[in-house]
Amino acid sequence: MATVIEARDVHKSFGKNEVLKGLNLSVEEGEVVVMIGPSGSGKSTFLRSLNKLEDISSGEITIDGQNVNQPKVNIDKIREKVGMVFQHFNLFPHLTVMENMILAPVQLGKMTKSEATANAKQLLERVGLADKADVKPDTLSGGQKQRVAIARALAMNPEIMLFDEPTSALDPEMVGDVLSVMKELAEEGMTMIVVTHEMGFAKQVADRVVFFADGYIREAGTPTEIFNNPQDPRTRDFLDKVLNV
Amino acid sequence: MRKWLISLMALVGLAVGIIVSVPAAHAATPNYTITTDTTFPPFEFQTDGGKYRGIDMDMLKEISKRENFTYTLKPMSFNAGVQAVQAGQVDGIVAGMSITDERKSTFDFGTPYYKSGIVMAVSPKSDIKGLSDLKGKTVAAKTGSAGADYAREISKKYGFKVTFFNDSNTMYNDVAIGNTVAAFEDQPVMAYAIKQGTNLKIVTKPAKGNWYGFGVKKAANAELLKKFNAGYDKIVKDGTYDKIVKRYLGDGGYNYKKNAADQTADKTTIWDLVKENQSALLNGLVKTLELTMVGIILAAIWGIFLGILGVMPSKLARGLSTTIIYIFRGLPMLVLAFFIYIGIPNLTGQKIPAFTAGVITLILNEGAYIGAFVSGGFKSVAPGQLEAARSLGLPYGKAMRKVVMPQGVRLIIPSFINQFIITLKDTSILSAIGIIELTQTGTLIIARNLQGFRVWLMIAVLYLIVITLLTWLSNWVEKRIK
């Protein structure tokens, strides 16, 4: 299988505070990587660096062989292939659900308006919200918003999906709907990188679990390796706290 | 949405058209722009018909007939008039202007036509009998006048302070109600005003005997000066000049104050006052609305441009926007107006019509405020919105236009309505550069009929009516956009 994401010795500082301290990670096509770790460990910052929402201080990130930080590389073209889902959904409140979904494909000339609309209808059906096409986002529940946000990212037919704590802002009873959409996506073979605190999802869906702490990747392995036989004391400590409440 | 975009563009076109079409058509006989004081009886004052009369006015009219030229009269405060000549905004000034050595360095004067001197006038009840009683007191003088120079000159010696006014009526009133203890004024003007019923008395002999002269900018308008002198010679020789002077200063001459009193005696209701001044008020109102509409539309375009500049990723663009906003928000509008109307032509020698100068002032001043709240509005859209749009692959410009700006616009509409109303009110400041809008119309009417309370009440009500209508209109537009 081909490597689609490659990060080498990635450093990132906010002022004097170094939050990524030399990270290496490569992700294969179709792989589902789940990143866990305590808050402030750098996992969200790292995820956001992958599509250049954050600029890194040094190191190299390539997507499909293209270095995202090189000035002559058109980052917009790369972002078209990399969908992103945010903790706070970030739906466009002035547009309807349908308009949210077709904005990028139509504006970027990927599809005609009618193609984009047909495509969006299918996606909405898939996330169980076919009846919500014409409403404004503020009438939706949190779980519905997040499912629309996932569908919106999928509307660009991305090769890779990034999820930045997609369920952290949801009421507990909404989490299941969103996770099952993500699970389905994983089963279809989408390359996914997910930052989450949902250990159940990590165990069930991940091909690989990566544990972050203090700006380092401490440990990476299959779910079984990480959850049943953690090697690093920080990993053991973290899992102890989140699993035995 | 489309429709109102088209009407907006039509409005902009109209605005630009008005500005561009200001320069007047070329005429065969030379036409000069000449300034005079708004009120300086018996030399210049507005009659009940709104026409300018007085010794200076009648003299100028006769001379223009004899010498075959036409002129456009631009009354403004004496001080602004002096500066307008220096800036080349007007060709000449006839305003009972004393010929002084200091002025000779920047003006060329025509043949001296009237001998005057400066006197001090006090309230009839005052116990001030001469200059030596002024110690520690405050006196009044007219900005830029010979009386003001004289008062300043002797203020140290006699230990008093000087307050300056822009027109004679306000100055007389200030002394009459006791804010200041005495006024320094040219003798014929003061004597005439008292004869006409101004409640003051003269307590000194004329000092600093001086001559009045017609002034043009030094070495800049020899032709007009030549014509003036030639015409003046003719009207002195054929006796017309003496007739003119007699018309105002002789017994049974045109009684300016009595005229005003008569006018108010039998026209007692405010409604009569409105009817009497209907056309003047209407013209003033139209000018105010013109200034407001043209000003706010162009200021909005400029302001939105500044606002967008203020949220661009480029540091240079943001710095530029911040600097422009800082400068023009920091400058008082009056200073800006004088700088554009008088300062810039002074430097470049290129005339700027008052209306255009006024509109530019509004664009720069109101535009800076609009720029500040527009970029503020865009900045207050949650950063996640831009991130989400960019993460979908939308380039920066598209993301701003399609996602951030539509949300920002909704936030800034109330500020826009507010700015619209502020602009309307701010146009009153432009009366200072001689634009006869609503406020200046009020000043001119009062200079004629001395009905301060009623006229300002009328003007205030007119402003309130227009602002109410504008608020309704704005609310309607706001609803349609939402």
Side-chain angles (χ1 to χ4, degrees), chain B residues 94-373:
Chain B
V94 55
M97 184 180 186
S98 301
I99 301 171
T100 63
D101 286 341
E102 199 187 345
R103 281 182 186 153
K104 272 192 208 157
S105 64
T106 49
F107 281 91
D108 286 330
F109 286 102
T111 317
Y113 63 88
Y114 194 95
K115 174 89 196 266
S116 173
I118 292 155
V119 293
M120 179 171 88
V122 300
S123 159
K125 286 171 279 177
S126 170
D127 45 12
I128 287 170
K129 293 184 182 69
L131 297 172
S132 46
D133 296 329
L134 291 175
K135 196 161 180 59
K137 303 274 193 336
T138 305
V139 305
K142 223 164 73 173
T143 319
S145 70
D149 288 347
Y150 176 63
R152 217 178 343 220
E153 209 178 294
I154 61 168
S155 64
K156 269 238 172 83
K157 187 176 161 197
Y158 292 99
F160 59 84
K161 282 194 202 123
V162 191
T163 303
F164 298 96
F165 293 90
N166 276 327
D167 70 287
S168 300
N169 269 320
T170 315
M171 176 172 75
Y172 301 155
N173 277 329
D174 202 64
V175 177
I177 63 178
N179 287 341
T180 44
V181 298
F184 283 82
E185 178 70 286
D186 290 16
Q187 182 269 330
V189 177
M190 198 65 246
Y192 182 75
I194 290 171
K195 205 172 111 188
Q196 306 286 332
T198 297
N199 202 19
L200 296 178
K201 64 175 183 193
I202 294 173
V203 292
T204 60
K205 291 229 166 65
K208 291 249 156 193
N210 54 30
W211 283 89
Y212 288 170
F214 172 75
V216 298
K217 189 181 177 183
K218 195 164 182 70
N221 228 326
E223 191 193 80
L224 174 61
L225 203 61
K226 215 172 95 188
K227 286 194 167 118
F228 179 89
N229 285 343
Y232 177 73
D233 279 351
K234 285 180 197 161
I235 63 169
V236 168
K237 269 189 198 126
D238 67 10
T240 310
Y241 180 77
D242 284 343
K243 254 188 248 164
I244 291 172
V245 173
K246 218 169 165 192
R247 192 179 294 157
Y248 296 97
L249 292 178
D251 290 331
Y254 184 91
N255 194 323
Y256 152 76
K257 266 277 170 70
K258 186 165 165 293
N259 202 287
D262 285 351
Q263 203 181 331
T264 50
D266 52 343
K267 285 171 189 150
T268 41
T269 71
I270 198 158
W271 183 239
D272 289 324
L273 209 59
V274 172
K275 272 197 280 188
E276 173 74 27
N277 295 292
Q278 205 175 23
S279 73
L281 287 171
L282 198 67
N283 287 340
L285 187 62
V286 166
K287 190 60 86 181
T288 288
L289 289 176
E290 254 174 47
L291 276 171
T292 308
M293 294 310 291
V294 176
I296 191 79
I297 290 168
L298 296 180
I301 294 170
W302 174 237
I304 290 168
F305 173 75
L306 283 179
I308 292 172
L309 219 57
V311 293
M312 298 254 281
S314 149
K315 258 193 184 150
L316 184 79
R318 275 183 284 141
L320 194 67
S321 165
T322 314
T323 311
I324 293 173
I325 290 172
Y326 173 78
I327 291 173
F328 292 106
R329 223 165 37 154
L331 276 180
M333 202 169 150
L334 189 61
V335 173
L336 187 60
F338 278 136
F339 184 78
I340 292 167
Y341 185 63
I342 290 166
I344 290 175
N346 216 325
L347 188 73
T348 62
Q350 192 74 39
K351 282 192 206 183
I352 302 174
F355 187 84
T356 309
V359 169
I360 295 172
T361 306
L362 289 175
I363 293 172
L364 293 176
N365 181 280
E366 312 294 343
Y369 283 96
I370 293 172
F373 67 65

Side-chain angles (χ1 to χ4, degrees), chain A:
Chain A
M1 267 203 238
T3 301
V4 287
I5 299 176
E6 179 89 62
R8 267 183 239 108
D9 196 26
V10 171
H11 289 260
K12 165 80 181 171
S13 302
F14 291 109
K16 278 185 181 162
N17 181 23
E18 190 172 39
V19 290
L20 303 180
K21 298 170 180 168
L23 303 187
N24 294 288
L25 183 76
S26 69
V27 179
E28 304 289 310
E29 191 183 339
E31 202 179 4
V32 177
V33 175
V34 173
M35 307 203 285
I36 60 171
S39 299
S41 58
K43 48 196 196 309
S44 275
T45 306
F46 179 65
L47 187 79
R48 289 160 56 83
S49 306
L50 296 179
N51 66 348
K52 216 189 167 197
L53 286 182
E54 303 285 350
D55 282 312
I56 58 174
S57 309
S58 69
E60 193 181 86
I61 292 171
T62 59
I63 298 215
D64 278 348
Q66 280 185 297
N67 186 335
V68 301
N69 289 295
Q70 249 174 24
K72 61 180 176 194
V73 169
N74 184 349
I75 188 65
D76 295 328
K77 287 283 166 215
I78 294 174
R79 283 171 176 162
E80 288 177 13
K81 298 189 286 193
V82 183
M84 183 146 188
V85 174
F86 299 85
Q87 181 180 355
H88 295 288
F89 332 127
N90 295 349
L91 294 178
F92 307 137
H94 61 300
L95 301 177
T96 65
V97 166
M98 179 55 76
E99 287 165 342
N100 262 275
M101 294 191 57
I102 67 173
L103 177 72
V106 173
Q107 285 296 321
L108 296 171
K110 297 275 150 191
M111 300 174 199
T112 65
K113 197 174 170 189
S114 58
E115 284 167 0
T117 309
N119 183 38
K121 268 189 190 148
Q122 273 182 6
L123 288 168
L124 281 178
E125 208 148 315
R126 216 171 116 183
V127 299
L129 294 168
D131 54 330
K132 299 291 184 186
D134 296 318
V135 304
K136 289 277 177 75
D138 59 7
T139 63
L140 301 176
S141 72
Q144 291 172 328
K145 280 181 190 167
Q146 196 59 300
R147 282 183 281 155
V148 171
I150 294 171
R152 180 176 71 180
L154 292 174
M156 286 294 289
N157 293 328
E159 296 166 15
I160 301 165
M161 286 285 285
L162 309 178
F163 293 85
D164 188 5
E165 303 201 24
T167 56
S168 299
L170 297 180
D171 291 338
E173 74 268 25
M174 307 280 183
V175 172
D177 290 341
V178 172
L179 289 183
S180 65
V181 168
M182 290 168 63
K183 204 170 151 188
E184 245 176 68
L185 206 55
E187 281 160 7
E188 285 165 21
M190 176 67 76
T191 309
M192 291 165 60
I193 302 182
V194 183
V195 172
T196 189
H197 293 291
E198 295 294 331
M199 294 306 144
F201 178 83
K203 274 184 196 165
Q204 266 187 40
V205 184
D207 295 313
R208 194 149 41 114
V209 176
V210 178
F211 176 73
F212 277 69
D214 310 318
Y216 298 101
I217 292 178
R218 295 285 178 161
E219 196 169 356
T222 62
T224 322
E225 285 168 352
I226 298 292
F227 287 104
N228 296 348
N229 190 16
Q231 301 298 307
D232 192 282
R234 290 285 279 130
T235 320
R236 251 174 280 159
D237 187 44
F238 173 76
L239 289 176
D240 237 22
K241 278 181 187 147
V242 294
L243 295 177
N244 306 318
V245 253

